[in-house]
Amino acid sequence: MPGRDELISRLGIAYNDNGISGRRIFGVVSMNRNQAIALAVAVANVSLILLFPPFDVYSIATSQLPVFGGFDFYFRRNQHMVVNTSVLVLEMLVVLINASIAALLLSTKKPDLMRRRIGLQNAALLVVAINLVVILLFPPFESVFALTKATLPTFEGFYFIFARQPNHVIVTTMLYLEVIFVLVNGALFWFLFRDKRQTAMTPEQAYKLMQEVRQRGK
């Protein structure tokens, strides 16, 4: 009896650890409905991020160094407002990463006969996505006074980004380090939980798989 991977290759479908994710059309895997919704949500988020980017604001008191001014409509900015490109790029990166994770998690699940008892890989991806969102919502801040007057910068702590403190700036270096730390650990856990066992399919399992593929092709 051929193994699962060999049978799936003969059938010409795309199959991963989460199950059948679609047919291969000219070497490209088509998306299912849930993945298309996740892609649409990601595009909407990117549009909102570009329309309402994070701004740094120059003032009379902080003419040498801008302070974090929150989010505002891009076409309503004035001469004292500068887009914080570091935070903007990081926001885009997190949206794209979470969209990729959602595409994996929302792929068509396996039949009950082949489903794992615990989806540790999926759990690791979900934890990574949640951590990235939390990191963006609570970034590290430093005060302007500490950056301009003191010999060494004074770390002020983590604040909710929509309830910013006055005269504070985001520590983008630390923010990027946090994101890299989460991504590296998430990748390590994903590979650690990877199941490399290849099991042969029984005739009943092969028949059910072929029936599922036939129904998806209608």
Side-chain angles (χ1 to χ4, degrees):
M1 187 68 190
R4 184 187 67 179
D5 294 340
E6 182 181 355
L7 179 60
I8 291 169
S9 177
R10 293 177 184 176
L11 293 174
I13 59 175
Y15 202 94
N16 53 29
D17 289 338
N18 291 323
I20 299 173
S21 58
R23 287 186 175 273
R24 292 187 181 274
I25 303 175
F26 302 107
V28 180
V29 180
S30 60
M31 293 186 298
N32 58 38
R33 181 174 179 272
N34 292 333
Q35 290 173 324
I37 294 175
L39 178 60
V41 172
V43 171
N45 278 313
V46 170
S47 301
L48 285 175
I49 288 173
L50 293 177
L51 287 175
F52 296 90
F55 282 100
D56 288 336
V57 180
Y58 287 91
S59 64
I60 297 177
T62 59
S63 59
Q64 300 297 325
L65 184 70
V67 298
F68 180 66
F71 302 86
D72 204 343
F73 188 49
Y74 179 77
F75 297 102
R76 197 170 56 188
R77 70 189 188 280
N78 55 45
Q79 66 272 19
H80 302 295
M81 301 170 65
V82 179
V83 176
N84 190 325
T85 55
S86 298
V87 177
L88 180 63
V89 170
L90 190 59
E91 287 180 333
M92 301 280 289
L93 180 63
V94 169
V95 169
L96 295 177
I97 292 174
N98 284 351
S100 302
I101 292 175
L104 290 175
L105 296 180
L106 295 175
S107 58
T108 306
K109 299 299 181 181
K110 297 180 183 180
D112 291 336
L113 289 172
M114 295 177 287
R115 186 174 297 171
R116 294 180 184 176
R117 291 179 299 175
I118 301 176
L120 294 179
Q121 279 188 311
N122 288 348
L125 293 177
L126 185 60
V127 170
V128 169
I130 295 174
N131 274 275
L132 291 177
V133 174
V134 172
I135 287 173
L136 282 183
L137 289 178
F138 296 90
F141 280 92
E142 287 178 342
S143 66
V144 173
F145 176 81
L147 288 172
T148 56
K149 300 298 183 182
T151 304
L152 294 176
T154 301
F155 177 65
E156 296 292 335
F158 300 87
Y159 296 98
F160 186 46
I161 196 167
F162 295 108
R164 58 185 175 83
Q165 301 294 316
N167 299 325
H168 278 60
V169 294
I170 297 177
V171 188
T172 54
T173 302
M174 184 180 296
L175 190 61
Y176 273 86
L177 288 176
E178 288 179 323
V179 172
I180 293 173
F181 179 81
V182 170
L183 293 178
V184 170
N185 280 276
L188 291 176
F189 279 110
W190 190 87
F191 282 108
L192 180 64
F193 296 144
R194 187 177 183 183
D195 188 4
K196 298 181 179 180
R197 295 176 297 175
Q198 297 292 336
T199 57
M201 299 179 67
T202 64
E204 292 80 8
Q205 291 175 338
Y207 177 76
K208 288 192 174 184
L209 179 60
M210 294 179 65
Q211 291 294 325
E212 182 181 349
V213 173
R214 189 173 301 173
Q215 291 177 359
R216 288 177 60 85
K218 293 180 179 181

